[in-house]
């Protein structure tokens, strides 16, 4: 059986945003439901009907291994074949966010406690410091002010973008 092929599941009828939302729901409810430490960061569909790319970013509270990414890709791929929400050909790519990717979710911050972050605030001011603490509405960084280290609290609604600073020391 090929799955539901009604117009509800047609990319042409749903639109890209709805496909992304549907795939996110499939991931959370059917693919990652037995892996509570793994979560969806982003789902994006690029291209046109019949020749596109479905990009899925997942992350884990303690990182992800290649085996978890591969298993998620296979399970999602099988489910997409069964439900057939995207008509025509497309490429499925399941990855974890790279070190160069901005943090998007509160849940991502927790595993980076103790690491250095570069934060761009809403007013374009940049702050760089060691992540000390994460709460539901803010982060606390240890920032060098002149020669002293001082704690700085930044509310999430003031943060435009933040990235982990990768150091090879």
């Amino acid at each position: 059986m090929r799955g539901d092929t009604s117009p509800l599941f047609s990319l042409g009828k749903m639109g890209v945003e709805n496909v992304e939302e549907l795939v996110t729901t499939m991931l959370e409810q059917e693919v990652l439901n037995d892996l509570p430490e793994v979560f969806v960061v982003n789902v994006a569909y690029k291209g046109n009907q019949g020749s596109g790319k479905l990009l899925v970013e997942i992350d884990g509270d303690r990182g992800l291994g290649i085996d978890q990414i591969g298993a998620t890709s296979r399970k999602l791929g099988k489910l997409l074949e069964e439900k057939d929400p995207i008509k025509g050909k497309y490429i499925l790519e399941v990855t974890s966010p790279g070190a160069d990717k901005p943090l998007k979710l509160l849940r991502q911050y927790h595993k980076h406690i103790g690491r250095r972050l570069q934060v761009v605030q809403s007013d374009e001011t940049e702050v760089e410091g060691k992540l000390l603490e994460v709460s539901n509405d803010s982060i606390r960084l240890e920032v060098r002010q002149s020669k002293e280290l001082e704690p700085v609290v930044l509310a999430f609604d003031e943060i435009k973008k933040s990235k982990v600073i990768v150091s090879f020391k």
Side-chain angles (χ1 to χ4, degrees), residues 40-144:
V40 179
V41 175
N42 192 46
V43 173
Y45 185 83
K46 310 271 188 214
N48 302 313
Q49 182 176 354
S51 65
K53 189 175 205 177
L54 181 61
L55 302 163
V56 175
E57 284 185 338
I58 58 174
D59 206 347
D61 293 326
R62 293 175 296 283
L64 284 178
I66 190 75
D67 293 339
Q68 287 174 304
I69 294 170
T72 300
S73 180
R74 286 187 296 278
K75 195 171 179 180
L76 177 60
K78 183 178 179 189
L79 194 58
L80 287 168
E81 279 185 32
E82 290 171 6
K83 296 201 179 209
D84 201 22
I86 304 170
K87 301 299 176 205
K89 296 179 184 178
Y90 63 93
I91 296 169
L92 171 63
E93 184 177 309
V94 179
T95 65
S96 63
D100 61 331
K101 296 279 187 159
L103 302 177
K104 291 184 177 185
L105 305 173
L106 167 68
R107 196 166 173 183
Q108 290 180 284
Y109 283 84
H110 290 283
K111 75 176 182 179
H112 294 293
I113 291 175
R115 297 176 101 184
R116 295 188 57 75
L117 296 184
Q118 177 186 38
V119 180
V120 178
Q121 298 179 81
S122 301
D123 65 0
E124 300 298 326
T125 306
E126 286 190 28
V127 178
E128 198 173 290
K130 181 178 177 181
L131 181 60
L132 300 176
E133 186 179 339
V134 179
S135 71
N136 286 335
D137 56 359
S138 65
I139 59 173
R140 188 164 62 95
L141 299 174
E142 183 179 63
V143 176
R144 183 165 301 279

Side-chain angles (χ1 to χ4, degrees), residues 115-116 164-169:
R115 297 176 101 184
R116 295 188 57 75
V164 175
I165 298 172
V166 180
S167 174
F168 297 101
K169 292 181 183 181

